[in-house]
Amino acid sequence: MKAWEATVRKTQAVARKRANTIFGTYGPSHVEEEIIDQVDVEEENEGHANGEVYHSERFLPNGDYYSGYWVDSFPHGHGKYWWTDGCMYVGDWFRGKKMGKGTFSWPSGAMYEGNFKSGYMDGEGTFTGPNGDSFKGSWVMNLKHGHGVKEYSNGDVYDGEWNRGLQQGNGKYVWKNGNSYVGEWKNGVICGKGKMCWKNGNVYEGNWEDGVPKGNGTLKWDDGSFYVGNWNKDQNEQNGTFYPSASLLEGGNLDWDPQQVYNTDLLECSICPNEKVSILPSQKKLAVWRSAKATENNVRPRRMSVDGRIDAAPVDREFGRMRLSDCAGTPPRITCVDDAMDGYIRGSPIRHPKAVKRQGETISKGHKNYELMLNLQLGIRHSVGRPGPVPSLDLKPSAFDPKEKYWTRFPPEGSKSTPPHPSCEFRWKDYCPKVFRALRMLFKVDAADYMLSICGNDALRELCSPGKSGSFFYLTNDDRYMIKTMKKAEVKVLLRMLHAYFSHVRSFDNTLMTKYFGLHCVKLTGPAQKKVRFVIMGNLFCTDYTIHRRFDLKGSTFGRMTDKPESEIDATTTLKDLDLNFIFRLPKTWFQEFRRQVDRDCELLEQERVMDYSLLVGLHFKEATGDQTPPPGCRTPAGSEDGSAPRLSRADRDRLLSGLAGRSLGINMSARVERTERKNDLDFQLVGEPTGEFYDVILFFGIIDILQDYDITKKLEHAYKSIQCDPNSISAVDPKAYSRRFRDYIYKVFTEDT
């Protein structure tokens, strides 16, 4: 009798859900339906052992429909899932995630057919848009990435390289009217060296920027005429020579304006925009109830998404301290539902240092450096705020001359160009101001925000102790900028390499080298005549995430272990090479870009005879907090079809925060770290043995301290320390050897996440 009643209830529930799906919800109450939905899943699972794969057809609690294979309440194997909004996926599943080959269709008529990975369009696949556009090629996490062919509905075709959803690299674009372009692209526009062929036979070959010719180039006509010179949309900057053909010379028709290319010829060569998808396959989630058999009888099971992520529960945020270099023994491993999804063993919880107050001491009135801070803020406000020519990235060589520096006197009573102030009289020096103004523009730093951060009402904070070089560090109140005092020798190195540095960061958006925004000097008047030189840099750890671990990595062993006692190590302690017991695993595309960029950066530093630099790495362990709040500057996706804000899972949000969502290499990167152990008989083993324990983290990293010249002081240091220990273990080595050793080490601690 009970079995018969259960069957009737089940049949009624299925009929009711079908009616709800087709005609809309009706009836006085949904409480009973919710309970029956839970019973449905429990009863469906009866008779199936854990891990057993079986076929089933189900109407899920939210009205969606699935038909296919299951395992432990997860779609697993081949199956078809239909959402109530009209989206549908038919293909392979792995424990609730779209994984393998499949087809995803939208109610608009759009369709993707190809490979999926963890719910994302990832691998080779073909996307057909609702307007008739189609793309066939490589995908990474829902974005076109790699080689692909895009056929637009208007007849245009692009065949070439893509990066994060936009044309980037080498590619060919053919317009329907017969015009074509072959060459370099950047961020979806023609940029770099390339060749444009018009259907009338005219050909331009040369440099491009933002979709138009800029720089050296040659325009050839089919009659043999050609024009060679420097191209620019601004007529005043355009200059070159026109060489007419014999037929033109005979006819005497020598009148031609280069601006015709911009005003007429390029008008019919516009690039079609890429399609916008309202909702991505990774955002379409399934929801089932975990079987009550696995829970206590008196506890209602928590809602769980079908990819294994359970609704957030209270997390213990207090952790004790653990010495990173303590490698005696392996902590116990635990296997979670999430671990089974991702195919790896999650390590036992990391014990993080307790939270500490904000780093640094506020420089208030009475502080020994209070007047110096006022002078610095006055000088910055004067340098950045004074009127001048519009900043340009095209600088003349004279702008980089080390002699390009300007002094300004700041008397307390004020002058024609400076305001009155309560501090002592001082003089202010700007080094190469045009270059640093261009760098701020290149790094997209707004002048008003820059002044507000450094010169606003909030005081600077001085870090508790100077660095090894004796330099002092100051932080702005919003943590965006770091100010470092410099030795005269360091200033000389920066000025010497400034031209190469500017060209490098302009060429490579993902450079890991420190970002410099200004170089200045304050000279105090009086008998002391004290000079304080300082540089303004970006703060790598400016983030809403708590940095639980920070490492300074060089690849050397001599003196490369923190000398702080256990009781003094906290979240602000910078640990060193021999303290490191993790391997950092990056997604494939980011790992490849990481290796390329480290090679480029090290080649520049080696060329400039610089050594003693290091890779600063910050880790935020995700399990340490339940915080799902995105960091500032991260865009949230558009609203869902019902007008409400989309609810992304933690894993999806983490992926969006990674570099593939348009963020820079080394900033807010979702990754994994694997715990390592050093063998007891190898005290100075740089890289420990992997343990198989993984942790989900947010990574921050960049190359710092790039101003140490291999001068006579460092050569003497190398000779002296070589007597005491292995010459290969010390930091002070020749720049070429330093670069090679640094890269070899970094490529061991950073690997591809397979």
Side-chain angles (χ1 to χ4, degrees):
M1 181 63 70
K2 289 184 179 179
W4 179 80
E5 289 176 354
T7 304
V8 171
R9 292 205 325 269
K10 181 177 174 181
T11 306
Q12 290 173 342
V14 171
R16 189 183 298 113
K17 277 179 288 192
R18 283 179 176 166
N20 289 347
T21 301
I22 300 171
F23 302 108
T25 303
Y26 67 97
S29 173
H30 305 289
V31 176
E32 182 183 353
E33 291 181 29
E34 188 173 312
I35 296 173
I36 292 174
D37 290 335
Q38 180 181 347
V39 174
D40 289 345
V41 177
E42 293 174 359
E43 293 178 353
E44 285 283 352
N45 289 333
E46 286 183 0
H48 298 288
N50 288 338
E52 178 187 352
V53 179
Y54 59 95
H55 188 277
S56 179
E57 179 181 359
R58 294 187 182 176
F59 288 87
L60 299 180
N62 58 0
D64 297 347
Y65 169 80
Y66 175 81
S67 176
Y69 289 91
W70 289 75
V71 64
D72 298 337
S73 299
F74 300 107
H76 186 81
H78 190 81
K80 172 182 178 181
Y81 193 98
W82 177 74
W83 285 267
T84 54
D85 63 3
C87 292
M88 183 172 13
Y89 171 77
V90 181
D92 298 330
W93 299 80
F94 181 81
R95 288 189 166 269
K97 292 182 179 179
K98 308 171 195 73
M99 186 84 75
K101 291 188 178 294
T103 301
F104 190 96
S105 58
W106 285 262
S108 63
M111 178 181 292
Y112 169 83
E113 184 175 4
N115 291 314
F116 287 82
K117 185 176 180 181
S118 297
Y120 290 80
M121 299 183 287
D122 200 303
E124 294 297 314
T126 301
F127 177 86
T128 305
N131 61 351
D133 289 0
S134 69
F135 171 84
K136 183 177 182 180
S138 180
W139 298 75
V140 174
M141 292 177 63
N142 295 331
L143 297 174
K144 305 176 187 74
H145 195 89
H147 184 268
V149 178
K150 180 69 180 283
E151 297 182 1
Y152 297 91
S153 57
N154 67 349
D156 295 354
V157 177
Y158 171 82
D159 184 350
E161 297 299 315
W162 297 75
N163 186 284
R164 304 175 211 164
L166 297 172
Q167 297 97 325
Q168 183 151 315
N170 289 307
K172 179 179 181 180
Y173 194 102
V174 179
W175 284 266
K176 181 182 179 181
N177 59 15
N179 298 340
S180 65
Y181 168 82
V182 180
E184 296 177 346
W185 296 71
K186 186 174 181 180
N187 294 328
V189 296
I190 297 172
C191 191
K193 293 186 179 295
K195 181 179 181 180
M196 175 75 79
C197 300
W198 283 270
K199 59 183 177 182
N200 59 12
N202 297 347
V203 176
Y204 169 83
E205 189 169 4
N207 292 318
W208 297 75
E209 188 173 308
D210 291 332
V212 296
K214 187 173 183 180
N216 293 324
T218 302
L219 179 65
K220 297 180 180 179
W221 286 263
D222 58 350
D223 64 358
S225 306
F226 62 96
Y227 174 90
V228 181
N230 184 63
W231 293 75
N232 200 298
K233 204 169 184 179
D234 183 353
Q235 257 183 324
N236 298 325
E237 299 291 330
Q238 174 91 32
N239 57 77
T241 306
F242 178 59
Y243 297 90
S245 63
S247 58
L248 285 179
L249 286 173
E250 291 175 3
N253 183 16
L254 303 179
D255 186 20
W256 179 78
D257 182 7
Q259 290 299 306
Q260 179 183 333
V261 173
Y262 299 97
N263 300 331
T264 305
D265 298 345
L266 290 175
L267 290 180
E268 54 184 17
C269 296
S270 58
I271 307 299
C272 290
N274 291 310
E275 75 283 334
K276 294 183 179 179
V277 182
S278 58
I279 189 164
L280 299 169
S282 58
Q283 294 173 281
K284 299 298 295 180
K285 296 302 174 187
L286 296 73
V288 298
W289 290 99
R290 173 179 284 185
S291 175
K293 297 175 183 178
T295 64
E296 297 180 9
N297 295 330
N298 60 344
V299 178
R300 181 179 174 86
R302 285 185 287 158
R303 190 69 178 264
M304 181 177 67
S305 66
V306 79
D307 55 359
R309 290 185 290 271
I310 305 171
D311 279 355
V315 179
D316 180 11
R317 297 170 184 251
E318 294 296 328
F319 294 84
R321 232 176 238 106
M322 181 186 74
R323 177 73 167 178
L324 283 179
S325 57
D326 180 11
C327 302
T330 304
R333 303 179 184 179
I334 57 174
T335 304
C336 310
V337 178
D338 222 9
D339 302 335
M341 300 312 105
D342 296 329
Y344 67 92
I345 302 299
R346 186 181 302 283
S348 57
I350 288 286
R351 299 174 65 84
H352 305 287
K354 292 182 180 179
V356 295
K357 63 179 182 180
R358 293 187 75 190
Q359 206 174 357
E361 176 190 359
T362 301
I363 304 176
S364 54
K365 197 165 186 178
H367 191 283
K368 62 179 181 178
N369 289 326
Y370 180 70
E371 285 195 341
L372 178 62
M373 181 192 73
L374 293 181
N375 298 343
L376 185 154
Q377 291 177 323
L378 284 166
I380 293 291
R381 189 179 291 114
H382 171 76
S383 300
V384 179
R386 67 185 173 188
V390 178
S392 171
L393 297 180
D394 298 320
L395 300 174
K396 296 179 180 178
S398 59
F400 298 92
D401 191 336
K403 296 179 181 178
E404 188 78 2
K405 48 194 175 185
Y406 301 93
W407 282 103
T408 304
R409 178 172 165 266
F410 280 79
E413 65 276 9
S415 65
K416 290 183 178 179
S417 59
T418 63
H421 59 86
S423 182
C424 60
E425 181 174 334
F426 68 95
R427 295 183 68 200
W428 172 266
K429 182 194 286 187
D430 275 324
Y431 295 90
C432 300
K434 292 180 181 178
V435 178
F436 286 102
R437 190 180 299 126
L439 281 172
R440 291 194 293 271
M441 183 175 74
L442 186 65
F443 294 139
K444 297 180 174 57
V445 173
D446 181 74
D449 291 341
Y450 183 70
M451 284 195 293
L452 190 62
S453 291
I454 302 174
C455 315
N457 296 327
D458 297 313
L460 302 178
R461 306 197 313 276
E462 182 180 66
L463 298 191
C464 299
S465 59
K468 185 178 177 182
S469 63
S471 299
F472 283 85
F473 293 85
Y474 304 93
L475 279 171
T476 57
N477 187 63
D478 58 8
D479 288 333
R480 292 178 64 185
Y481 303 104
M482 183 174 284
I483 300 166
K484 176 190 175 185
T485 61
M486 301 181 73
K487 296 179 180 178
K488 188 175 182 179
E490 291 178 308
V491 173
K492 287 183 176 179
V493 172
L494 179 54
L495 292 175
R496 183 192 73 201
M497 64 182 289
L498 190 57
H499 199 303
Y501 172 83
F502 179 83
S503 300
H504 185 81
V505 298
R506 187 179 180 185
S507 300
F508 305 111
D509 295 339
N510 279 327
T511 179
L512 296 173
M513 291 199 294
T514 304
K515 292 182 178 180
Y516 293 117
F517 302 108
L519 181 63
H520 313 281
C521 176
V522 170
K523 182 178 181 180
L524 304 178
T525 56
Q529 294 286 303
K530 180 182 177 183
K531 283 185 179 179
V532 181
R533 304 171 183 88
F534 57 90
V535 66
I536 301 175
M537 312 176 291
N539 178 18
L540 181 64
F541 296 153
C542 177
T543 173
D544 282 353
Y545 286 119
T546 300
I547 303 298
H548 296 120
R549 293 279 188 268
R550 53 190 77 201
F551 297 94
D552 182 271
L553 306 176
K554 292 185 178 182
S556 57
T557 57
F558 185 79
R560 298 301 294 164
M561 180 181 288
T562 184
D563 54 2
K564 277 190 176 184
E566 185 73 19
S567 58
E568 294 182 14
I569 294 179
D570 58 27
T572 64
T573 302
T574 301
L575 302 160
K576 302 179 183 178
D577 300 68
L578 294 179
D579 299 310
L580 178 67
N581 65 339
F582 293 110
I583 290 176
F584 309 103
R585 300 201 179 276
L586 300 179
K588 180 179 179 180
T589 50
W590 272 124
F591 177 70
Q592 294 171 349
E593 177 62 22
F594 172 78
R595 288 197 60 135
R596 285 194 294 266
Q597 196 56 56
V598 169
D599 285 339
R600 294 163 181 159
D601 291 344
C602 287
E603 285 167 6
L604 173 68
L605 297 173
E606 182 182 329
Q607 170 191 319
E608 294 297 322
R609 300 291 295 167
V610 169
M611 42 75 67
D612 213 24
Y613 45 87
S614 56
L615 187 74
L616 183 63
V617 182
L619 295 179
H620 169 84
F621 290 92
K622 293 182 186 177
E623 89 269 6
T625 64
D627 183 18
Q628 297 188 19
T629 305
C634 181
R635 296 180 179 179
T636 54
S640 57
E641 285 115 337
D642 61 359
S644 62
R647 296 184 177 180
L648 299 186
S649 67
R650 175 93 188 240
D652 292 327
R653 185 178 289 104
D654 291 337
R655 289 175 185 271
L656 288 173
L657 296 181
S658 69
L660 290 176
R663 305 194 69 80
S664 299
L665 179 68
I667 303 296
N668 284 348
M669 292 187 63
S670 285
R672 296 194 299 165
V673 295
E674 182 177 3
R675 189 181 178 88
T676 62
E677 288 183 354
R678 290 182 176 84
K679 296 179 181 178
N680 295 330
D681 57 340
L682 294 175
D683 292 337
F684 295 106
Q685 181 186 8
L686 261 179
V687 184
E689 302 296 330
T691 64
E693 294 178 13
F694 291 81
Y695 302 89
D696 293 321
V697 298
I698 302 292
L699 271 183
F700 301 80
F701 52 82
I703 298 176
I704 63 168
D705 295 335
I706 61 173
L707 300 178
Q708 179 57 61
D709 197 15
Y710 191 57
D711 53 14
I712 186 62
T713 305
K714 286 295 177 182
K715 291 177 182 177
L716 291 173
E717 180 185 340
H718 174 78
Y720 174 72
K721 289 184 177 178
S722 296
I723 300 173
Q724 299 176 301
C725 59
D726 180 3
N728 294 322
S729 69
I730 60 180
S731 296
V733 295
D734 176 84
K736 190 171 184 179
Y738 190 95
S739 172
R740 183 173 60 252
R741 183 183 66 187
F742 176 79
R743 281 187 268 184
D744 289 344
Y745 172 60
I746 293 302
Y747 296 152
K748 290 177 182 176
V749 296
F750 278 81
T751 62
E752 181 182 330
D753 192 3
T754 55

